[in-house]
Structures are given as structure tokens and as C-alpha cells.
């Protein structure tokens, strides 16, 4: 998140929303630290959002989640002032939209952000193309240009060829793709997605999640995604804000929410999550002991002995993985005066850092040596051992994010294979 943290797209500063007539008294009670229930009793007002403060970074998927009535939809609708904040600031690229006049706000809504709704919000009498063009039409974009932009957006979401169909001729998933295409057609910086996939059946919903992640990898929009589904939040979110009774109770990455819940409520919320579908090889990988191919079998054996391990990995000068040597193979090379390339194993199991643990089980359990983690250039990033996977799935923080990139010597525990 370092690169994103250097570019704040949205800053929310003590934003509150009170529903009811006696808002002044309710705000006073909020400032005194009164609860939602106390304010309802004393002021007859309902707290929708209570003094929310956080930043959203350029290019991230920021998920706001909570149960029904937690305030998540109220909060996201204050980003474009579909709901007017009672107090606080919402800064977009440094501009406070709470203080904007109508013309300036309208311009932000049309050009800087788009919204995707839960129930598609398509016009049944308009074709797919006409629905996709709608926002551009409202902006007064010339007909040929808006058609061109709409067709590009439909192509992005995989609906090329469906432009002359009507919503009633499409499945629910395809209708939601039209809604997404309409939001993308004017190339907004920010996408607001309010329970966008919750009306879809589970299989289509997962497809749409994949579609969104694929699109985001190329578009790099700033996406605020509202959901009540924890699995969905963990799957797509770079960071998650968890809400309860109008309050934000924790903000963090999926692994931070899972491994370090801030209170009992969050702990209960995440207790049934399948960690294997959230944690990745990058979360549990350990440092690999390496040698260069020309260093010989004696150094390989010494490295294993010094670090109480049974395998070392052989790399070239650019740290690209070549192979691995076990203690038995190193002894054989010494006894028979062989070079390492004659005894090393090149048929290694390799995975990427983003590989989910659920997809690692078979590789880790069947591998004779720890599974190697490599990047797109085949550079060795670390190794995954069985003990680390088991420990991480048991919720043991010792096994998570303990990989160190420092070249300094590490205290290495004996491998658990």
C-alpha cells in the first residue's frame, strides 16, 4: 500500500449523518460520546453515521461492510451527496464536496465519479447501448462520440455484440455488467458500488467479483465497494472498513482484520472465515537459503548444516531460480567429485506470492522439498513449508508475514516438512 498511501484520493473527516428534526441536539450528544440508542431516546434522532474519519487511496478497492443498519450505504451516499452530511468534510482531490455549490457538485458527479447500484437501475425500454450511453447523454456528449465510448465500455465488461438487446433479454449477471459499463463509460476516477453484486446468485456473483478484479488490474480506478458479505469483502478489498451502529470499528487489510480483530465484535464477525481462501503464499513464505551454482557442494552442505535445514536453492547472479540441492545430493557430489549441476533437482514446484493457501495444499503436501515462491521473472522470493501453512490456518500469527527481505542473517528454525 505504500504507493497508494502517497496519493490520497478521498479524505473523510468527522462525517456524521443524523436522521430526524433535532439534529443540533443530536450532534451535541454525539460530541459528548453518547451512544446511538441514547441519542434516539434523548433527541428522537437516529444516528446513521457517527463521526467517520479515514482516507481512501488512489487506485485501491476500499470495502465498507457491515450488517443491515450499520450505516454503510448512508456513508457511501455522502461521498456524492445523494445524502447530505449533517457535519464533517468529504474531500475529493482536496476539494470539500460538502461545501460545493450545485453546479460544481453536478460536475463532480458526472465526470469524477459514477455509481453502480444493487438492482441494476436499467431502463427497460432502452437497449443495452442506450442504457450505457445514458450518463454521457445527460452530459450532452455528441451522439457519435457517446456511442463510441459506450461500445468501448461494453467491450470492457464482455458485452460486445449485445448492444441491441434489451435488459429483459439478459441474465442478472449480464444486466449488472450493463450497469458497470454505464458507470465506466464516462471514465470516472471513482466508482461507488453499493451492494452491486448482492442480488446475483453465488456463481454469477463470483464471476462478477473476478470481472471487477480483472478490470481493476488494468483500469486502476478508486473503488468504494459496499457489502454485507465478509467473504466478498475479503476477496476483493485492498482494505476493509467494518461498521456497526454507524461507527467504524476497524479499518485494515483483509489479513489485519482476520488476524488482529480490534474488539470482540470484529472477532465474532470473522470467526468462521476460511483462512485458506484469504491468506496467500506471500503471507506464509519463509526466507530461502541460497547459493550460486559455481560455489560447489561443500558450501551447500555447510549452509544446510549451519542453518539446520535439509535443502538449499541454487540461483544465478540475478537471483533467478535454477534448482535445489538436498543434503544427500550434496554428499554424493562431494564423494563423487561432481559439480552441483549434476546432482541438483530442476523439477521444482513453484508458485507465485498471490497463490491462495487453498490452492497450495496439494503442492505442499506432495513436495519432497519446500515449495519455491517466485515472481514473474522466476526470481526466488521465498519458500513455503508445511508447518507454516498449518500454523497460519490455525491462526498462529508467528507464521504470518514473518518473511524478511533483509540480506542480514536470520535466526532460522529447523524446517518442518
Amino acid at each position: 500500500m505504500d504507493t497508494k498511501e502517497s496519493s490520497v484520493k478521498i479524505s473523510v473527516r468527522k462525517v456524521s449523518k443524523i436522521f430526524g428534526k433535532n439534529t443540533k441536539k443530536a450532534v451535541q450528544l454525539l460530541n459528548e460520546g453518547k451512544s446511538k440508542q441514547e441519542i434516539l431516546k434523548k433527541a428522537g434522532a437516529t444516528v446513521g453515521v457517527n463521526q467517520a474519519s479515514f482516507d481512501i487511496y488512489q487506485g485501491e478497492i476500499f470495502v465498507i461492510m457491515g450488517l443491515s443498519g450499520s450505516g454503510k450505504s448512508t456513508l457511501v451516499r455522502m461521498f456524492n451527496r445523494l445524502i447530505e452530511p449533517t457535519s464533517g468534510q468529504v474531500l475529493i482531490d482536496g476539494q470539500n464536496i460538502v461545501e460545493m455549490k450545485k453546479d460544481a457538485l453536478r460536475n463532480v458527479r458526472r465526470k469524477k465519479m459514477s455509481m453502480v447500484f444493487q438492482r441494476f437501475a436499467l431502463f427497460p425500454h432502452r437497449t443495452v447501448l442506450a442504457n450505457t450511453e445514458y450518463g454521457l447523454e445527460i452530459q450532452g456528449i455528441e451522439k457519435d462520440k457517446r456511442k463510441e465510448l459506450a461500445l468501448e465500455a461494453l467491450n470492457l465488461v464482455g458485452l460486445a455484440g449485445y448492444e441491441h438487446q434489451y435488459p429483459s433479454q439478459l441474465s442478472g449477471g449480464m444486466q449488472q455488467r450493463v450497469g458497470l459499463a454505464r458507470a465506466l463509460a464516462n471514465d470516472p476516477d471513482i466508482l461507488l458500488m453499493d451492494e452491486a453484486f448482492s442480488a446475483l446468485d453465488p456463481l454469477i456473483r463470483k464471476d462478477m467479483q473476478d470481472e471487477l478484479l480483472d478490470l481493476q488490474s488494468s483500469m486502476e480506478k478508486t473503488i468504494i465497494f459496499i457489502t454485507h458479505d465478509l467473504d466478498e469483502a475479503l476477496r476483493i478489498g485492498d482494505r476493509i472498513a467494518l461498521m456497526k451502529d454507524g461507527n467504524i470499528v476497524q479499518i485494515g487489510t483483509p489479513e489485519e482484520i482476520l488476524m488482529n480483530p480490534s474488539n470482540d465484535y470484529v472477532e465474532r464477525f470473522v470467526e468462521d472465515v476460511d483462512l485458506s481462501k484469504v491468506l496467500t503464499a506471500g503471507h506464509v513464505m519463509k526466507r530461502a537459503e541460497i547459493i550460486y551454482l559455481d560455489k560447489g557442494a561443500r558450501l551447500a552442505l555447510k549452509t544446510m548444516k549451519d542453518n539446520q535445514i535439509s535443502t538449499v536453492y541454487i540461483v544465478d547472479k540475478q537471483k533467478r531460480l535454477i534448482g535445489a540441492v538436498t543434503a544427500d545430493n550434496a554428499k554424493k557430489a562431494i564423494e563423487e567429485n561432481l559439480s552441483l549441476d549434476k546432482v541438483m533437482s530442476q523439477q521444482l514446484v513453484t508458485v507465485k506470492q498471490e497463490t491462495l493457501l487453498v490452492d497450495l495444499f496439494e503442492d505442499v503436501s506432495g513436495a519432497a522439498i519446500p515449495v519455491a515462491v517466485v515472481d514473474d521473472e522466476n526470481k526466488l522470493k521465498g519458500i513455503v513449508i508445511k508447518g507454516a501453512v498449518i500454523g497460519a490456518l490455525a491462526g498462529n500469527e508467528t507464521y504470518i508475514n514473518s518473511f524478511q527481505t533483509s540480506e542480514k542473517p536470520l535466526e532460522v528454525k529447523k524446517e518442518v516438512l
Side-chain angles (χ1 to χ4, degrees):
M1 293 293 297
D2 290 344
T3 56
K4 291 172 183 173
E5 289 181 12
S6 64
S7 179
V8 174
K9 188 68 177 177
I10 302 173
S11 288
V12 178
R13 295 288 174 262
K14 292 189 174 180
V15 166
S16 296
K17 179 60 185 179
I18 309 294
F19 295 100
K21 294 182 179 179
N22 203 355
T23 57
K24 185 177 291 187
K25 183 177 180 180
V27 169
Q28 180 183 340
L29 293 170
L30 266 185
N31 292 333
E32 293 173 3
K34 302 299 183 183
S35 69
K36 181 176 181 176
Q37 291 73 24
E38 288 174 312
I39 293 170
L40 178 62
K41 184 177 180 180
K42 293 183 178 182
T46 300
V47 178
V49 174
N50 182 2
Q51 303 181 92
S53 293
F54 54 89
D55 291 329
I56 298 174
Y57 306 119
Q58 172 69 42
E60 77 170 328
I61 299 180
F62 186 86
V63 176
I64 303 173
M65 72 161 301
L67 301 177
S68 179
S70 62
K72 56 190 185 298
S73 291
T74 299
L75 178 57
V76 78
R77 279 169 164 75
M78 288 192 285
F79 289 179
N80 58 4
R81 278 177 57 189
L82 289 180
I83 292 177
E84 291 285 350
T86 302
S87 60
Q89 297 180 320
V90 179
L91 305 172
I92 297 177
D93 292 329
Q95 292 185 299
N96 185 9
I97 71 159
V98 178
E99 298 176 347
M100 281 184 180
K101 302 298 183 184
K102 288 184 178 180
D103 288 346
L105 178 60
R106 189 179 299 114
N107 191 56
V108 167
R109 287 174 175 171
R110 289 179 176 179
K111 297 183 178 179
K112 188 157 284 191
M113 64 174 66
S114 292
M115 196 160 191
V116 183
F117 298 93
Q118 175 181 350
R119 290 290 175 180
F120 318 143
L122 302 181
F123 298 108
H125 61 283
R126 283 177 169 250
T127 64
V128 166
L129 180 61
N131 267 287
T132 308
E133 289 181 1
Y134 181 71
L136 301 170
E137 183 180 335
I138 292 297
Q139 293 182 44
I141 303 297
E142 183 264 329
K143 185 175 181 179
D144 288 344
K145 182 62 176 177
R146 70 179 187 244
K147 180 179 180 181
E148 176 189 341
L149 294 172
L151 288 172
E152 288 178 3
L154 288 169
N155 186 57
L156 268 178
V157 301
L159 286 180
Y162 289 89
E163 56 268 19
H164 300 303
Q165 302 289 311
Y166 286 87
S168 62
Q169 297 173 288
L170 305 181
S171 67
M174 294 173 77
Q175 289 183 50
Q176 191 57 284
R177 288 172 188 262
V178 178
L180 183 55
R182 181 175 57 194
L184 294 173
N186 66 335
D187 194 26
D189 294 342
I190 301 164
L191 275 179
L192 307 178
M193 304 185 71
D194 188 7
E195 298 273 11
F197 303 151
S198 63
L200 305 174
D201 70 55
L203 289 178
I204 297 175
R205 187 172 187 168
K206 185 176 183 298
D207 288 342
M208 287 302 298
Q209 292 166 3
D210 290 339
E211 184 81 21
L212 181 65
L213 292 171
D214 287 344
L215 286 170
Q216 178 66 349
S217 67
S218 58
M219 297 185 309
E220 295 187 347
K221 303 292 185 185
T222 301
I223 299 174
I224 297 91
F225 193 99
I226 305 299
T227 184
H228 63 271
D229 186 326
L230 180 59
D231 287 335
E232 183 169 65
L234 295 171
R235 190 161 189 265
I236 69 173
D238 292 314
R239 288 187 302 145
I240 299 167
L242 183 58
M243 295 189 71
K244 178 180 183 289
D245 293 336
N247 297 289
I248 293 179
V249 293
Q250 186 169 359
I251 295 178
T253 63
E255 56 267 28
E256 287 169 347
I257 296 285
L258 285 174
M259 304 312 300
N260 297 296
S262 62
N263 57 29
D264 290 342
Y265 176 77
V266 181
E267 190 168 353
R268 290 195 302 273
F269 211 98
V270 304
E271 63 185 354
D272 294 325
V273 172
D274 184 351
L275 293 179
S276 72
K277 296 180 180 179
V278 179
L279 298 178
T280 66
H283 291 126
V284 302
M285 67 184 183
K286 308 296 180 183
R287 175 172 173 166
E289 292 300 329
I290 63 172
I291 63 169
Y292 298 112
L293 185 60
D294 59 356
K295 293 300 182 181
R298 283 184 171 78
L299 178 59
L301 200 58
K302 183 178 186 302
T303 300
M304 286 183 259
K305 182 179 179 181
D306 290 346
N307 290 284
Q308 294 184 298
I309 56 177
S310 58
T311 307
V312 293
Y313 294 79
I314 301 171
V315 297
D316 63 17
K317 298 300 183 182
Q318 286 73 44
K319 301 290 181 68
R320 289 189 292 259
L321 180 63
I322 298 174
V325 172
T326 64
D328 288 341
N329 287 339
K331 289 176 183 176
K332 177 181 178 180
I334 292 170
E335 291 168 358
E336 300 181 16
N337 197 28
L338 300 173
S339 59
L340 283 179
D341 64 317
K342 301 297 184 185
V343 296
M344 71 179 182
S345 173
Q346 293 179 283
Q347 303 300 313
L348 305 181
V349 177
T350 62
V351 297
K352 299 295 179 61
Q353 285 182 246
E354 60 270 22
T355 303
L356 292 171
L357 295 193
V358 69
D359 299 321
L360 276 177
F361 293 150
E362 186 174 345
D363 288 335
V364 172
S365 62
I369 63 175
V371 171
V373 183
V374 297
D375 64 13
D376 290 337
E377 298 177 352
N378 204 44
K379 292 183 178 180
L380 184 62
K381 309 304 291 185
I383 57 173
V384 176
I385 61 178
K386 291 179 185 177
V389 174
I390 295 168
L393 295 182
N396 189 335
E397 295 176 34
T398 303
Y399 292 96
I400 301 173
N401 291 324
S402 59
F403 179 76
Q404 300 182 37
T405 55
S406 168
E407 294 300 323
K408 296 178 181 179
L410 298 177
E411 180 182 347
V412 181
K413 298 179 181 179
K414 189 171 183 178
E415 285 178 9
V416 181
L417 289 175

